[in-house]
Amino acid sequence: MLSTLVSLSIRAVAQNMDLLEQKIPDLPASLLKDLLPHLNMFYLDRIEKTAQLKRISTSLQIVWADKWRDLNHTWRCKLKFMQPEENWKQKCLESLFHMVLLRKAEVQNLLSNLSEHAVLSMSAKHVQVLTLTLAVRGGCRLASPDHRPILSLLEKSVRCLRLFDAEALLQHGNAELLFVLHRLIDHGSVTEVVLKKTPDCSLFSWITFRCRGPYRTNSQSSATTDSRETSHNADHWAEEGPSAPKCPRLDLYTDEKLCSILSPLCSFNERWHVDQIHSLDLEVRSLATVSRLLPSWLSLKSLHLYGTQPLWEDEVAGFLASLRKLCLDPHCSLRDLSMGNVSSQNLLADLLTINPSLHSLSLDINPPWDNTVKPGQSLQFRQDTELSLEKLSLKSAIVHTVKNFPAVLQHAPNLSSLYVSGIHHAHLFLHTLSESNPLLKVLILEDISLTNCHQEIIHLIENSNLEELSLKDCRLLERCTEKRDFLVPFVVAVRGLSSLHTLSLSQNRLAKSAIEIADLFLGECPSKITKLDLSSNFILPADLLEFSQRVEMYRPTQRLTLDLRFNPLDRDPKTAPLWSS
């Protein structure tokens, strides 16, 4: 009876926080802790200092994590392991800001009778990534006098600006949207811009002008000026192809004039960021416009390009020529590059030859349109060449790319993270890893046949300092007549790798053999793994029960997170073992 009365009282307080908020500091810590789950996000934010004083911040973080799960219903599908270091409050309030801006109906259920302006003002300072789409027409509302204080908060907090359907956005709110973009980019803290669905070309030119470096050669200055002067000329964009949309005639004046035109309150004497855009993430139909402007992007540190249609060899060649011009400038800042939906069989070799200073490189390379593979150039580094690569991601089925791969690894001693998908002849590079890449911490192999590479896998594990290993859809046991012949030495090798904390064997048809994996936690020196992924392995309920019983018997000392989704267990919940670690 008493517990029911306390519960009713807590709910009553939560529902009347507008009247009782000032009394919250008088509550004992135990009651305040019980109250937290019943508060909406607005009041959770407002009582944070009180929670810190009463030393219940950990409980508050747990409540924020629960709120995040409620907001994002797809989290279970992604099964993102909840990390205590994640800033769940920031994630919640950033998501809430977009929901209110979009005026979603469910927001009223979350926030009862609070005003839209109050919620936007509270959550704006937590928005690090601002997304504007045609659906989020509220983006234009940020330009109104009533929302100017909210826009000022966003200028301080937003680091990444994401624009979808930029051309349609401008057609529905040209001056208002341009003012918002100008304030966030030129007077705010935005350093990363994401442009999706083939951005409006004149807006693209205007934004990427902020990627220019403070030091420019005469030729680059001239090229940049020409691109600005011709950005309203339809002929200038003819290279995008006959199907490209006509560009709206945006009024892109000098920066000083832009400030005075957009608002009398926006003065060029205000804080102004020169060369502020350091990261671009672009979806493009063609590389022509990017190639033309690329040599002037001296302040750009990170460039991500994805073709909405295949980017063929001829236009990739033009991009590489422009990239070479950029990299020859001593003030070039580019260190992170990714390209997707590209067809160029020598791309890996070409990029690293042009810019050996890249720290991160990600490539998704498609076969040529006619599936013919021309003789490629072998990658020849000087013996003393040392690449700066720390992270490499490669998805390619082109044979010549694979042949060049070991040469890259041999000259990348600082490599710490490697993702490889789809390539053949894995034995060509597996042995190289243990010999040439002692700093490798993360290795993710996906959709690669490793059925004939068992010795190479075990040798690598025994001679590495890996912290994360993923062998997803690698047909590990496809040709094994006796599966234990591989799994037993594999388990022993993994147990001996004390640095390893994450192991994924997803989609390998382990079936009953998964029971052997439980022996990772056997003996006086068990594995230190804290995350184990055995999803999609056709493990029957009875075998999964035996696996779980073994692990429970071994009692690993560390907390273990298991991913067992998409096994037949999912379809037989009554047989599922009620065991968790």
Side-chain angles (χ1 to χ4, degrees):
M1 181 69 180
L2 181 60
S3 61
T4 303
L5 183 60
V6 171
S7 176
L8 291 173
S9 299
I10 286 174
R11 292 179 184 177
V13 171
Q15 293 169 2
N16 294 276
M17 279 292 290
D18 54 335
L19 302 175
L20 301 174
E21 181 183 358
Q22 295 181 352
K23 302 292 185 181
I24 292 298
D26 299 332
L27 289 177
S30 58
L31 280 179
L32 182 56
K33 184 177 179 180
D34 292 337
L35 175 64
L36 293 178
H38 300 279
L39 297 179
N40 62 39
M41 287 180 281
F42 182 84
Y43 287 111
L44 273 179
D45 176 63
R46 292 175 67 92
I47 70 166
E48 182 171 14
K49 290 183 179 179
T50 301
Q52 290 173 347
L53 290 173
K54 293 183 179 290
R55 298 182 179 181
I56 56 172
S57 297
T58 302
S59 299
L60 187 60
Q61 284 301 310
I62 293 173
V63 174
W64 279 117
D66 290 339
K67 298 290 185 185
W68 172 252
R69 284 197 294 262
D70 293 340
L71 280 177
N72 296 270
H73 302 297
T74 60
W75 77 274
R76 290 181 180 85
C77 299
K78 298 176 182 177
L79 198 72
K80 180 175 181 180
F81 296 113
M82 305 285 281
Q83 299 293 339
E85 63 270 16
E86 291 277 8
N87 190 341
W88 300 112
K89 174 183 176 180
Q90 184 274 324
K91 288 176 175 290
C92 283
L93 295 181
E94 181 177 275
S95 182
L96 177 65
F97 180 89
H98 287 91
M99 293 175 69
V100 175
L101 201 63
L102 188 59
R103 289 177 168 167
K104 285 192 173 181
E106 59 264 31
V107 172
Q108 291 302 319
N109 297 328
L110 294 171
L111 300 170
S112 61
N113 297 321
L114 294 169
S115 71
E116 175 187 273
H117 192 276
V119 177
L120 288 175
S121 299
M122 177 272 292
S123 57
K125 58 182 176 288
H126 298 281
V127 178
Q128 297 178 7
V129 179
L130 179 64
T131 302
L132 298 177
T133 69
L134 189 59
V136 188
R137 293 290 304 279
C140 296
R141 288 192 287 132
L142 294 172
S144 68
D146 291 343
H147 288 77
R148 195 70 52 80
I150 297 170
L151 182 57
S152 296
L153 291 172
L154 293 174
E155 290 172 22
K156 298 175 183 177
S157 65
V158 174
R159 299 294 183 268
C160 176
L161 182 61
R162 305 172 74 220
L163 294 177
F164 292 74
D165 294 315
E167 185 175 8
L169 271 170
L170 287 164
Q171 290 173 352
H172 285 79
N174 192 327
E176 292 85 357
L177 180 64
L178 193 57
F179 172 71
V180 172
L181 298 183
H182 165 65
R183 291 300 311 181
L184 293 173
I185 294 175
D186 293 332
H187 296 282
S189 303
V190 170
T191 58
E192 178 182 351
V193 175
V194 180
L195 298 173
K196 297 294 185 182
K197 297 187 179 178
T198 309
D200 166 79
C201 47
S202 52
L203 177 67
F204 176 78
S205 181
W206 179 75
I207 288 178
T208 57
F209 185 69
R210 276 88 182 138
C211 300
R212 71 199 191 284
Y215 308 101
R216 286 173 290 163
T217 64
N218 290 335
S219 61
Q220 287 171 328
S221 299
S222 175
T224 305
T225 302
D226 290 343
S227 70
R228 288 178 57 126
E229 289 176 350
T230 57
S231 63
H232 310 304
N233 186 336
D235 295 334
H236 175 68
W237 303 100
E239 294 182 38
E240 290 285 4
S243 62
K246 297 296 182 182
C247 303
R249 294 178 59 86
L250 294 182
D251 197 355
L252 302 184
Y253 292 97
T254 63
D255 298 326
E256 298 92 334
K257 194 170 184 181
L258 185 64
C259 281
S260 62
I261 288 175
L262 289 176
S263 171
L265 300 178
C266 184
S267 169
F268 189 71
N269 293 325
E270 283 188 80
R271 183 176 59 137
W272 179 269
H273 297 291
V274 180
D275 314 313
Q276 169 151 319
I277 304 301
H278 296 154
S279 175
L280 284 176
D281 187 338
L282 309 172
E283 274 187 359
V284 295
R285 274 195 300 260
S286 162
L287 289 172
T289 302
V290 173
S291 299
R292 181 167 44 253
L293 300 177
L294 182 60
S296 66
W297 295 350
L298 293 177
S299 70
L300 194 67
K301 298 178 181 179
S302 179
L303 177 60
H304 306 276
L305 296 170
Y306 184 83
T308 56
Q309 58 190 25
L311 303 173
W312 301 116
E313 190 98 31
D314 53 348
E315 56 181 325
V316 172
F319 170 82
L320 291 173
S322 295
L323 181 64
R324 184 174 286 106
K325 291 179 183 178
L326 172 65
C327 294
L328 286 174
D329 193 300
H331 302 293
C332 172
S333 304
L334 188 64
R335 295 295 180 267
D336 176 15
L337 177 64
S338 69
M339 300 182 71
N341 203 9
V342 183
S343 180
S344 177
Q345 65 185 49
N346 285 317
L347 191 57
L348 176 65
D350 290 337
L351 289 173
L352 290 173
T353 302
I354 291 172
N355 190 352
S357 298
L358 285 174
H359 291 172
S360 177
L361 176 61
S362 177
L363 299 176
D364 185 350
I365 306 174
N366 298 329
W369 66 273
D370 56 359
N371 288 321
T372 59
V373 179
K374 301 176 183 177
Q377 178 182 359
S378 294
L379 183 58
Q380 297 291 336
F381 288 117
R382 286 171 42 189
Q383 185 131 10
D384 60 346
T385 299
E386 185 173 304
L387 299 174
S388 300
L389 269 184
E390 297 175 4
K391 295 182 179 181
L392 177 60
S393 175
L394 178 63
K395 184 176 183 180
S396 173
I398 299 178
V399 174
H400 197 76
T401 300
V402 180
K403 288 182 178 179
N404 280 324
F405 194 32
V408 171
L409 298 176
Q410 289 167 4
H411 291 271
N414 298 314
L415 192 68
S416 62
S417 177
L418 177 63
Y419 169 87
V420 187
S421 175
I423 72 172
H424 306 296
H425 312 294
H427 65 279
L428 292 176
F429 71 87
L430 281 175
H431 189 75
T432 306
L433 287 174
S434 57
E435 304 297 327
S436 303
N437 309 104
L439 301 181
L440 190 66
K441 302 298 183 186
V442 178
L443 177 60
I444 301 174
L445 305 182
E446 184 174 347
D447 189 22
I448 298 175
S449 179
L450 298 178
T451 187
N452 295 321
C453 299
H454 291 172
Q455 293 303 317
E456 288 85 352
I457 294 171
I458 293 172
H459 180 267
L460 173 62
I461 294 173
E462 291 175 341
N463 296 274
S464 74
N465 294 299
L466 287 173
E467 297 176 359
E468 179 178 344
L469 175 62
S470 176
L471 306 175
K472 181 179 179 180
D473 191 16
C474 288
R475 280 84 81 187
L476 286 172
L477 307 177
E478 193 171 78
R479 298 180 185 175
C480 289
T481 54
E482 182 57 57
K483 297 178 180 180
R484 295 186 79 256
D485 289 347
F486 167 66
L487 286 177
V488 170
F490 174 79
V491 167
V492 171
V494 172
R495 277 207 308 257
L497 184 56
S498 59
S499 59
L500 193 71
H501 58 69
T502 300
L503 176 64
S504 174
L505 299 175
S506 177
Q507 298 182 32
N508 278 289
R509 294 179 176 267
L510 295 179
K512 187 178 181 65
S513 299
I515 297 171
E516 304 288 344
I517 305 299
D519 288 346
L520 285 170
F521 309 101
L522 172 67
E524 296 181 358
C525 298
S527 172
K528 300 295 192 295
I529 286 175
T530 58
K531 295 178 184 177
L532 179 60
D533 183 356
L534 298 178
S535 61
S536 302
N537 268 300
F538 297 93
I539 309 173
L540 295 175
D543 299 325
L544 199 56
L545 178 61
E546 184 176 347
F547 166 85
S548 65
Q549 288 172 339
R550 276 203 194 186
V551 175
E552 187 175 26
M553 180 176 62
Y554 298 151
R555 290 290 181 185
T557 56
Q558 72 276 20
R559 181 175 176 81
L560 178 64
T561 302
L562 279 172
D563 186 350
L564 301 172
R565 295 172 302 155
F566 310 122
N567 285 299
L569 168 71
D570 293 342
R571 299 186 293 275
D572 191 4
K574 292 182 179 179
T575 317
L578 299 176
W579 176 88
S580 62
S581 57

